Amino acid sequence: MAPEFEREKHIAYIQSLDTRHDELEYWLSEHLRLAGVYWGVTALDIMGAKDALPRDEMIKYVKSCQHDNGGFGANPGHDPHILYTLYAVQILFTQDALQEVDANLITKYVLSLQDTATGAVKGDLMGDTFDTRFVYSAMSCLSILGKLSEFDVDKSVNYIDQCKNYDGGYGMVPGAESHAGQIFTCLAALAIANRLDLVDRDLLSWWLCERQLLSGGLNGRPEKLPDVCYSWWVLSSLAILGRLDWIDRDKLREFILEAQDTEMGGVADRKGDMVDVFHTVFGIAGLSLLGFENLEPVNPVYCLRESVVSRLPK
Ligand code: 3PZ
Ligand code: ZN
């Protein structure tokens, strides 16, 4: 029998992450802090407990991570990056606080990362690595800000289409092997662009549902171990394709619940491992997509609560 969902313990675990300043773990995650805030507040929001973290302090902190060029870093003084810029926008949107930042400045930063010749997007102004994750980040960010019309959507859609593989999946760059995380970012970007017609739906749905192993857990690629975070990358992809019923929901629920720390709260990548806030949010978001545990509905494209996404500018 599956253990129970430890809602109150997960709330307490997320609250505790911000108060352990004397522990090594806290400093080791310094380069991820803003991401951690997004993972934590999103997990709480899906549990209907967003107010368990102090709103004003959070908004102030997010703003302190912004640079003059509009981009956000992982922590004050850390270099700006597209991933952290998306996390900042997601947190402020969840808190209904986007009016506290200059949307035009953020837009300018994001637009500067698109290669207007190919539609590829780089992660920051210094680097030259392109990744389909960054295309999604740019499009999610700009659509939340109501600025997607300033972005060359068609070019980036074409770029994503070039990352499509013979198995129906998508990789990091053209020619790279299919991977569930990358498939989520490409599908979600195509959903934002309203171009899901480009997807080989049946072939990709097969690849995705074959990620479920006998344990009930999902892996991210053939031959890999199952991992709770793929409950999100694979399930959200199936949800976008309208094929959530292609996997065994009860077995996946059991796999996620078994990865909980039933004493301290939080969810691990799999049973017996150490919990972290990343696997906690994606485990809880996966349970929400599956319709279990009385959780608030989560949007599979934005990984934010549906009631937040319903405020998106038209
Ligand atoms: C984890 N990152 O590169 S990371 C991440 N992984 O910043 C955060 N499943 O130490 C946490 N693996 C834990 N808290 C893990 C985010 C990775 C994903 C690693 C992981 C997850 C299996 C091995 C990449 C969005 C953003 C970033 C990623 C994916 C999606 C780590 C290792 C890597 C990273 C952070 C800590 C184990 C937490
Ligand atoms: Zn994982």
Side-chain angles (χ1 to χ4, degrees):
M1 252 217 355
E4 280 185 42
F5 181 65
E6 297 284 358
R7 185 178 179 282
E8 297 310 320
K9 283 180 180 154
H10 297 321
I11 294 171
Y13 165 73
I14 292 164
Q15 287 177 315
S16 80
L17 291 170
D18 199 42
T19 56
R20 298 196 207 148
H21 294 214
D22 51 339
E23 287 174 29
L24 181 64
E25 211 188 326
Y26 181 87
W27 296 104
L28 286 179
S29 63
E30 199 193 11
H31 66 290
L32 291 171
R33 183 69 23 88
L34 192 57
V37 174
Y38 159 70
W39 296 325
V41 78
T42 302
L44 289 173
D45 204 18
I46 297 170
M47 291 189 286
K50 189 187 67 185
D51 298 334
L53 287 177
R55 179 177 186 274
D56 293 348
E57 213 177 292
M58 189 184 300
I59 294 168
K60 206 171 132 203
Y61 172 74
V62 171
K63 286 162 73 175
S64 76
C65 295
Q66 192 173 24
H67 290 254
D68 292 340
N69 70 1
F72 290 77
N75 228 334
H78 288 222
D79 290 338
H81 194 280
I82 184 93
L83 290 176
Y84 291 96
T85 304
L86 172 61
Y87 294 135
V89 167
Q90 287 173 312
I91 297 165
L92 295 173
F93 187 37
T94 296
Q95 298 289 9
D96 208 355
L98 278 173
Q99 69 283 357
E100 300 216 17
V101 286
D102 181 350
N104 291 319
L105 192 63
I106 301 173
T107 301
K108 205 174 137 208
Y109 174 75
V110 174
L111 293 179
S112 72
L113 299 173
Q114 188 186 34
D115 177 355
T116 48
T118 62
V121 175
K122 54 188 179 181
D124 61 33
L125 288 167
M126 275 103 69
D128 51 5
T129 47
F130 295 96
D131 185 325
T132 43
R133 274 193 304 165
F134 306 151
V135 179
Y136 166 73
S137 303
M139 289 179 60
S140 175
C141 195
L142 294 174
S143 65
I144 292 171
L145 294 171
K147 304 286 186 185
L148 193 59
S149 61
E150 297 184 28
F151 185 77
D152 194 339
V153 173
D154 291 345
K155 272 264 159 59
S156 286
V157 162
N158 182 55
Y159 180 76
I160 290 173
D161 201 42
Q162 287 180 11
C163 296
K164 182 156 82 171
N165 291 319
Y166 66 90
D167 56 14
Y170 296 82
M172 193 165 78
V173 290
E177 89 173 292
S178 296
H179 177 285
Q182 240 70 42
I183 290 172
F184 159 76
T185 57
C186 291
L187 275 184
L190 292 173
I192 293 170
N194 213 358
R195 289 305 311 273
L196 286 171
D197 59 289
L198 294 171
V199 177
D200 198 332
R201 290 180 109 100
D202 285 346
L203 192 60
L204 180 52
S205 300
W206 272 111
W207 190 95
L208 289 165
C209 76
E210 281 171 349
R211 305 280 58 76
Q212 187 164 39
L213 308 176
L214 285 172
S215 64
L218 306 174
N219 63 12
R221 280 179 287 168
E223 318 295 338
K224 299 283 178 183
L225 285 174
D227 178 329
V228 160
C229 66
Y230 291 107
S231 313
W232 175 257
W233 312 118
V234 175
L235 270 189
S236 58
S237 298
L238 286 168
I240 291 169
L241 296 171
R243 299 268 169 74
L244 266 183
D245 52 333
W246 283 33
I247 56 132
D248 185 332
R249 304 158 93 107
D250 292 321
K251 285 195 79 173
L252 177 55
R253 168 176 178 262
E254 208 156 312
F255 179 85
I256 298 171
L257 291 177
E258 279 177 340
Q260 296 177 108
D261 182 330
T262 53
E263 265 162 48
M264 300 299 291
V267 181
D269 57 356
R270 66 188 71 87
K271 187 179 181 169
D273 285 353
M274 284 266 289
V275 303
D276 60 57
V277 67
F278 179 88
H279 291 94
T280 301
V281 65
F282 293 120
I284 292 172
L287 290 169
S288 166
L289 276 185
L290 293 170
F292 290 123
E293 319 306 336
N294 266 322
L295 292 162
E296 301 298 331
V298 64
N299 182 282
V301 171
Y302 289 95
C303 196
L304 295 170
R305 192 171 152 177
E306 284 286 8
S307 62
V308 170
V309 174
S310 69
R311 300 198 307 260
L312 271 185
K314 293 285 172 296

